[in-house]
Amino acid sequence: MTLHPAAPDTGIVFRRSGSAVEIPANWSNTIESPLCTVLSNREGNTVGTIEHLMAALAGAAIDNAVIELDGREVPIMDGSAAPFLFLIECAGIVEQDAARRAIKVLKEVSVTEDGATAALLPDHGFSMSFEIDFDNPLIRQQDICLVFDSETFKTELGRARTFGLLDELDRLRAAGLARGGSLDNAVVVGRDHVLNAGGLRFADEFVRHKLLDAFGDLYLAGGPILGSFRGVRSGHAHTRHLLSALFADPGAWCYTTLSRATCRSREEWQDSLQLAGD
């Protein structure tokens, strides 16, 4: 995988090496998939497991980039977003001569499915809360609430790894899932102990990673969100359905920029882009 810089208004775009296949990282290009977030174009080309990379791009405030891949899946790395964030910081970030476009939440939008809920509410900044409840004595109930600034992602979320339960591993592999999973790229939880030699990176690493997943999936809105996210036992599908519900209601959101607080309607924003192009 190679990350390339891109011009303003490009957004995040995934490209397959040696081909013209490109898939913009947008919620409208997601398809249903168990355990991870998958993008697809009209021809059926896909790229999967994008959520940790999307979280790193959001955490580093990268608005425009082309992600070139020689396969159909983003490398899992250590199961967190930290390696991606480290490499982005090593490469360096260039501030572009354009205001950051953001999506401002104007009223509450929520989805509830299978006993789980995901919601977006109006807020002046960006905050997230999450609750999980697992029938495992090492996880049980955990909750977290974070108000984001420039350092929150790196210090509080980026290093949280994906996790799986040991007694579910055989079932997942029989279904063709988690075949590349190991102690090098996931936290594996037994009934009475964590199998990873180094233990946990945070006492509540499980709920932090669920929040990290939602953070990455929310960046499929096409930019940073001004609002508050609340997740209760939710997963990738809930967050994608939440974005679909948000953008389906023109009164629930508007475009704005992070340099000023005024909103533009979708039509006004598209008109301004057309005028700029002319």
Side-chain angles (χ1 to χ4, degrees), residues 21 50 53 77 80 110 117 126 163-164 177-178 198 227 250 272:
V21 173
I50 67 167
L53 175 59
M77 309 300 275
S80 79
S110 66
T117 298
F126 180 56
F163 62 94
L177 303 171
S272 69

Side-chain angles (χ1 to χ4, degrees), residues 171-183:
R171 178 181 61 82
L172 290 173
R173 287 181 171 169
L177 303 171
R179 291 185 175 180
S182 73
L183 295 176

